[in-house]
Amino acid sequence: MANLVELSLIELRGDCARMAPHWVVPAAPLPEPVHPSLIHGITVPPASARLIDSMSEYGD
């Protein structure tokens, strides 16, 4: 049974190697940066604020 699995994996790797050139995805354009002075009025829901506040225990 092990030989069948190894053969299948080898075949799969070969198939993937042959198909890889067809999977090229064009790079997505980067979003335009926003000037910091245009960022205002941000609100954080209380549940998210509690989540972020409790994460300090995992830092450092």
Side-chain angles (χ1 to χ4, degrees):
M1 184 77 151
N3 290 336
L4 292 175
V5 173
E6 291 177 22
L7 182 60
S8 296
L9 291 175
I10 290 170
E11 290 174 350
L12 178 60
R13 289 183 68 197
D15 291 344
C16 290
R18 285 188 295 280
M19 291 188 297
H22 302 286
W23 293 340
V24 176
V25 178
L30 295 176
E32 293 291 324
V34 176
H35 194 275
S37 66
L38 297 175
I39 302 174
H40 61 281
I42 297 173
T43 57
V44 178
S48 296
R50 283 192 304 273
L51 175 66
I52 292 171
D53 187 41
S54 66
M55 290 178 71
S56 63
E57 299 171 13
Y58 300 104
D60 301 322

Coordinates of all heavy atoms in Angstrom, one line a residue:
M1 N 0.8 -1.2 0.0 CA 0.0 0.0 0.0 C 0.9 1.3 0.0 O 0.5 2.2 -0.6 CB -0.9 0.0 1.2 CG -1.9 1.1 1.3 SD -3.2 0.8 0.1 CE -4.5 1.7 0.8
A2 N 2.0 1.2 0.7 CA 2.9 2.4 0.8 C 3.4 2.7 -0.6 O 3.5 3.9 -0.9 CB 4.0 2.1 1.8
N3 N 3.7 1.7 -1.4 CA 4.2 2.0 -2.8 C 3.2 2.8 -3.6 O 3.5 3.6 -4.4 CB 4.6 0.7 -3.5 CG 5.9 0.2 -2.9 OD1 6.7 0.9 -2.2 ND2 6.1 -1.1 -3.0
L4 N 1.9 2.4 -3.4 CA 0.8 3.1 -4.2 C 0.7 4.5 -3.8 O 0.5 5.4 -4.6 CB -0.5 2.4 -4.0 CG -0.6 1.0 -4.6 CD1 -2.0 0.4 -4.2 CD2 -0.5 1.1 -6.1
V5 N 0.9 4.8 -2.5 CA 0.8 6.2 -2.0 C 2.0 7.0 -2.5 O 1.8 8.1 -3.0 CB 0.7 6.2 -0.4 CG1 0.8 7.6 0.1 CG2 -0.5 5.5 0.1
E6 N 3.2 6.4 -2.4 CA 4.3 7.1 -2.9 C 4.2 7.4 -4.4 O 4.5 8.5 -4.8 CB 5.6 6.4 -2.6 CG 5.9 6.3 -1.1 CD 7.1 5.5 -0.8 OE1 7.9 5.2 -1.7 OE2 7.2 5.0 0.4
L7 N 3.8 6.4 -5.1 CA 3.7 6.6 -6.6 C 2.6 7.7 -6.9 O 2.9 8.6 -7.7 CB 3.2 5.3 -7.2 CG 3.1 5.3 -8.8 CD1 4.4 5.7 -9.4 CD2 2.6 4.0 -9.3
S8 N 1.5 7.7 -6.1 CA 0.5 8.7 -6.3 C 1.0 10.1 -6.0 O 0.8 11.1 -6.7 CB -0.7 8.4 -5.5 OG -1.3 7.2 -5.9
L9 N 1.8 10.2 -4.9 CA 2.4 11.5 -4.6 C 3.4 12.0 -5.6 O 3.4 13.2 -5.9 CB 3.0 11.5 -3.2 CG 2.0 11.3 -2.0 CD1 2.8 11.1 -0.7 CD2 1.1 12.5 -1.9
I10 N 4.2 11.1 -6.1 CA 5.1 11.5 -7.2 C 4.4 11.9 -8.4 O 4.7 12.9 -9.0 CB 6.1 10.3 -7.5 CG1 7.0 10.0 -6.3 CG2 6.8 10.5 -8.7 CD1 7.8 8.7 -6.4
E11 N 3.3 11.2 -8.8 CA 2.5 11.6 -9.9 C 1.9 13.0 -9.7 O 1.9 13.8 -10.6 CB 1.5 10.6 -10.3 CG 2.1 9.3 -10.8 CD 1.0 8.2 -11.0 OE1 -0.1 8.4 -10.5 OE2 1.4 7.2 -11.6
L12 N 1.4 13.2 -8.5 CA 0.7 14.5 -8.2 C 1.7 15.6 -8.3 O 1.4 16.7 -8.8 CB 0.1 14.4 -6.8 CG -0.6 15.7 -6.3 CD1 -1.7 16.1 -7.3 CD2 -1.1 15.5 -4.9
R13 N 2.9 15.4 -7.7 CA 3.9 16.5 -7.8 C 4.3 16.8 -9.2 O 4.5 17.9 -9.6 CB 5.2 16.0 -7.0 CG 4.9 16.1 -5.5 CD 6.2 15.7 -4.7 NE 7.1 16.8 -4.9 CZ 8.4 16.7 -4.6 NH1 8.9 15.6 -4.2 NH2 9.2 17.7 -4.8
G14 N 4.4 15.7 -10.1 CA 4.7 15.9 -11.5 C 3.6 16.7 -12.2 O 3.8 17.6 -13.0
D15 N 2.3 16.3 -11.9 CA 1.2 17.0 -12.5 C 1.2 18.5 -12.1 O 1.0 19.4 -12.9 CB -0.1 16.4 -12.1 CG -0.3 15.0 -12.7 OD1 0.4 14.7 -13.6 OD2 -1.2 14.2 -12.2
C16 N 1.4 18.7 -10.8 CA 1.5 20.1 -10.3 C 2.6 20.9 -11.0 O 2.4 22.1 -11.4 CB 1.6 20.2 -8.8 SG 0.2 19.6 -7.9
A17 N 3.7 20.3 -11.1 CA 4.9 21.0 -11.8 C 4.5 21.4 -13.2 O 4.9 22.4 -13.7 CB 6.1 20.1 -11.7
R18 N 3.8 20.5 -13.9 CA 3.4 20.8 -15.3 C 2.4 21.8 -15.4 O 2.3 22.6 -16.3 CB 3.0 19.5 -16.0 CG 4.1 18.5 -16.4 CD 3.6 17.4 -17.2 NE 2.7 16.5 -16.5 CZ 3.1 15.6 -15.6 NH1 4.4 15.4 -15.4 NH2 2.2 14.8 -15.1
M19 N 1.5 21.9 -14.4 CA 0.4 22.9 -14.4 C 0.8 24.3 -13.9 O 0.2 25.3 -14.2 CB -0.8 22.4 -13.7 CG -1.5 21.2 -14.3 SD -3.0 20.7 -13.5 CE -2.5 20.2 -11.9
A20 N 1.8 24.3 -13.1 CA 2.2 25.6 -12.4 C 2.3 26.8 -13.3 O 1.9 27.8 -13.0 CB 3.5 25.4 -11.6
P21 N 3.0 26.6 -14.5 CA 3.1 27.8 -15.4 C 1.7 28.4 -15.8 O 1.6 29.5 -16.1 CB 3.8 27.3 -16.6 CG 4.6 26.1 -16.1 CD 3.7 25.5 -15.0
H22 N 0.7 27.6 -15.8 CA -0.7 28.0 -16.2 C -1.4 28.8 -15.1 O -2.4 29.3 -15.3 CB -1.5 26.8 -16.6 CG -0.9 26.0 -17.7 ND1 -0.9 26.5 -19.0 CD2 -0.3 24.9 -17.8 CE1 -0.3 25.6 -19.8 NE2 0.1 24.6 -19.1
W23 N -0.8 28.7 -13.8 CA -1.5 29.3 -12.7 C -1.0 30.7 -12.4 O -1.2 31.2 -11.3 CB -1.3 28.5 -11.5 CG -2.0 27.2 -11.6 CD1 -3.0 26.8 -12.4 CD2 -1.7 26.0 -10.8 NE1 -3.4 25.5 -12.2 CE2 -2.6 25.0 -11.2 CE3 -0.8 25.7 -9.8 CZ2 -2.7 23.7 -10.6 CZ3 -0.9 24.4 -9.2 CH2 -1.8 23.5 -9.7
V24 N -0.3 31.4 -13.3 CA 0.3 32.7 -13.0 C -0.9 33.7 -12.8 O -1.8 33.8 -13.7 CB 1.2 33.1 -14.2 CG1 1.7 34.5 -14.0 CG2 2.3 32.1 -14.3
V25 N -0.8 34.4 -11.7 CA -1.9 35.4 -11.4 C -1.2 36.8 -11.5 O -0.2 37.0 -10.9 CB -2.4 35.2 -10.0 CG1 -3.5 36.2 -9.7 CG2 -3.0 33.8 -9.9
P26 N -1.8 37.7 -12.3 CA -1.3 39.0 -12.4 C -1.3 39.7 -11.0 O -2.2 39.5 -10.2 CB -2.2 39.7 -13.4 CG -3.4 39.0 -13.4 CD -3.1 37.6 -13.0
A27 N -0.3 40.5 -10.7 CA -0.2 41.2 -9.5 C -1.4 42.3 -9.4 O -1.7 43.0 -10.4 CB 1.1 41.9 -9.3
A28 N -2.0 42.3 -8.3 CA -3.1 43.3 -8.1 C -2.5 44.7 -7.8 O -1.5 44.8 -7.2 CB -4.0 42.9 -6.9
P29 N -3.1 45.7 -8.4 CA -2.6 47.1 -8.1 C -2.7 47.4 -6.6 O -3.7 47.0 -5.9 CB -3.5 48.0 -9.0 CG -4.7 47.2 -9.2 CD -4.3 45.7 -9.2
L30 N -1.7 48.1 -6.1 CA -1.7 48.5 -4.7 C -2.7 49.7 -4.5 O -2.8 50.5 -5.4 CB -0.3 48.9 -4.3 CG 0.7 47.9 -4.3 CD1 2.1 48.4 -3.9 CD2 0.4 46.8 -3.3
P31 N -3.4 49.7 -3.4 CA -4.3 50.8 -3.2 C -3.6 52.1 -3.0 O -2.4 52.1 -2.5 CB -5.1 50.4 -1.9 CG -4.2 49.4 -1.2 CD -3.4 48.7 -2.3
E32 N -4.2 53.2 -3.3 CA -3.6 54.5 -3.1 C -3.5 54.8 -1.6 O -4.4 54.6 -0.9 CB -4.4 55.6 -3.8 CG -4.4 55.5 -5.3 CD -3.1 55.9 -5.9 OE1 -2.4 56.8 -5.4 OE2 -2.7 55.2 -6.9
P33 N -2.4 55.3 -1.2 CA -2.2 55.7 0.2 C -3.2 56.8 0.6 O -3.5 57.7 -0.2 CB -0.8 56.1 0.4 CG -0.3 56.3 -1.0 CD -1.1 55.6 -1.9
V34 N -3.7 56.8 1.8 CA -4.5 57.9 2.3 C -3.7 58.8 3.2 O -3.0 58.3 4.1 CB -5.7 57.3 3.1 CG1 -6.6 58.4 3.7 CG2 -6.5 56.4 2.1
H35 N -3.8 60.1 3.0 CA -3.1 61.0 3.9 C -3.7 60.9 5.3 O -4.9 60.9 5.5 CB -3.2 62.4 3.3 CG -2.2 63.4 4.0 ND1 -2.5 64.0 5.2 CD2 -1.0 63.7 3.6 CE1 -1.4 64.7 5.5 NE2 -0.5 64.6 4.6
P36 N -2.8 60.9 6.3 CA -3.3 60.8 7.7 C -4.3 61.8 8.1 O -5.2 61.6 8.9 CB -2.0 60.9 8.5 CG -0.9 60.4 7.6 CD -1.3 60.9 6.3
S37 N -4.2 63.0 7.5 CA -5.1 64.1 7.9 C -6.6 63.8 7.5 O -7.5 64.4 8.0 CB -4.7 65.4 7.4 OG -4.8 65.4 5.9
L38 N -6.7 62.8 6.5 CA -8.1 62.5 6.0 C -8.7 61.4 6.9 O -9.9 61.1 6.7 CB -8.0 62.0 4.6 CG -7.5 63.1 3.6 CD1 -7.4 62.5 2.2 CD2 -8.5 64.2 3.6
I39 N -7.9 60.8 7.8 CA -8.4 59.7 8.6 C -9.0 60.3 9.9 O -8.2 60.8 10.7 CB -7.4 58.6 8.9 CG1 -6.8 58.1 7.6 CG2 -7.9 57.6 9.8 CD1 -5.7 57.1 7.8
H40 N -10.3 60.3 10.1 CA -10.8 60.8 11.4 C -12.2 60.1 11.6 O -12.8 59.5 10.7 CB -11.0 62.3 11.3 CG -11.9 62.7 10.2 ND1 -11.5 62.8 8.9 CD2 -13.2 63.1 10.2 CE1 -12.5 63.2 8.1 NE2 -13.6 63.3 8.8
G41 N -12.6 60.2 12.8 CA -13.9 59.7 13.2 C -14.0 58.2 13.3 O -15.0 57.5 13.0
I42 N -12.8 57.5 13.6 CA -12.8 56.1 13.7 C -13.4 55.7 15.0 O -13.0 56.2 16.1 CB -11.3 55.6 13.6 CG1 -10.8 55.9 12.2 CG2 -11.3 54.1 13.8 CD1 -9.3 55.6 12.0
T43 N -14.3 54.7 15.0 CA -14.9 54.2 16.2 C -14.6 52.7 16.3 O -14.6 52.0 15.3 CB -16.4 54.4 16.3 OG1 -17.0 53.8 15.2 CG2 -16.7 55.9 16.3
V44 N -14.4 52.2 17.5 CA -14.1 50.8 17.7 C -15.2 50.2 18.6 O -15.5 50.7 19.7 CB -12.7 50.6 18.4 CG1 -12.5 49.1 18.7 CG2 -11.6 51.2 17.6
P45 N -15.9 49.2 18.1 CA -17.0 48.6 18.9 C -16.4 48.1 20.3 O -15.3 47.6 20.3 CB -17.5 47.4 18.1 CG -17.0 47.7 16.7 CD -15.7 48.5 16.8
P46 N -17.2 48.2 21.3 CA -16.7 47.8 22.6 C -16.1 46.3 22.7 O -15.1 46.1 23.3 CB -17.9 47.9 23.5 CG -18.8 48.9 22.9 CD -18.5 48.7 21.4
A47 N -16.8 45.4 22.0 CA -16.3 44.0 22.0 C -14.9 43.9 21.3 O -14.0 43.2 21.8 CB -17.3 43.1 21.2
S48 N -14.7 44.7 20.3 CA -13.3 44.7 19.7 C -12.3 45.3 20.6 O -11.2 44.9 20.7 CB -13.4 45.4 18.3 OG -14.2 44.7 17.4
A49 N -12.7 46.4 21.2 CA -11.8 47.1 22.1 C -11.4 46.2 23.3 O -10.2 46.1 23.7 CB -12.4 48.4 22.7
R50 N -12.3 45.4 23.8 CA -12.0 44.4 24.9 C -11.0 43.4 24.4 O -10.1 43.0 25.0 CB -13.2 43.8 25.4 CG -14.0 44.7 26.4 CD -15.1 43.9 27.1 NE -16.0 43.2 26.2 CZ -17.1 43.7 25.7 NH1 -17.4 44.9 26.0 NH2 -17.9 42.9 24.9
L51 N -11.2 42.9 23.1 CA -10.4 41.9 22.5 C -9.0 42.4 22.4 O -8.0 41.8 22.8 CB -10.9 41.5 21.2 CG -10.0 40.5 20.4 CD1 -10.0 39.2 21.1 CD2 -10.6 40.4 19.0
I52 N -8.8 43.6 21.9 CA -7.5 44.2 21.7 C -6.8 44.5 23.1 O -5.6 44.3 23.2 CB -7.6 45.5 20.9 CG1 -8.0 45.1 19.4 CG2 -6.3 46.3 20.9 CD1 -8.4 46.3 18.6
D53 N -7.6 45.0 24.0 CA -7.1 45.3 25.3 C -6.5 44.0 26.0 O -5.5 44.0 26.6 CB -8.2 45.9 26.2 CG -7.6 46.4 27.5 OD1 -6.5 46.9 27.6 OD2 -8.3 46.2 28.6
S54 N -7.2 42.9 25.8 CA -6.7 41.6 26.4 C -5.5 41.0 25.7 O -4.8 40.2 26.3 CB -7.9 40.6 26.5 OG -8.2 40.2 25.2
M55 N -5.2 41.5 24.5 CA -4.1 40.9 23.8 C -2.8 41.4 24.4 O -1.8 40.7 24.1 CB -4.2 41.3 22.3 CG -5.3 40.6 21.6 SD -5.5 41.0 19.9 CE -4.0 40.2 19.2
S56 N -2.7 42.4 25.2 CA -1.5 42.9 25.7 C -0.9 41.8 26.6 O 0.4 41.8 26.8 CB -1.7 44.2 26.5 OG -2.6 43.9 27.6
E57 N -1.7 40.9 27.1 CA -1.1 39.8 28.0 C -0.2 38.9 27.2 O 0.6 38.2 27.7 CB -2.3 39.0 28.6 CG -3.2 39.8 29.4 CD -4.4 39.0 29.8 OE1 -4.5 37.8 29.6 OE2 -5.4 39.7 30.4
Y58 N -0.4 38.8 25.8 CA 0.3 37.9 25.0 C 1.5 38.5 24.4 O 2.3 37.9 23.7 CB -0.6 37.3 23.9 CG -1.8 36.6 24.5 CD1 -3.0 37.1 24.5 CD2 -1.6 35.3 25.0 CE1 -4.1 36.4 25.1 CE2 -2.6 34.6 25.6 CZ -3.9 35.2 25.6 OH -4.9 34.5 26.2
G59 N 1.7 39.8 24.5 CA 2.8 40.5 23.9 C 4.1 40.3 24.7 O 4.1 39.7 25.7
D60 N 5.2 40.9 24.2 CA 6.5 40.9 24.9 C 6.9 39.5 25.1 O 7.2 38.9 26.0 CB 6.5 41.8 26.1 CG 6.1 43.2 25.8 OD1 6.5 43.7 24.8 OD2 5.4 43.8 26.6

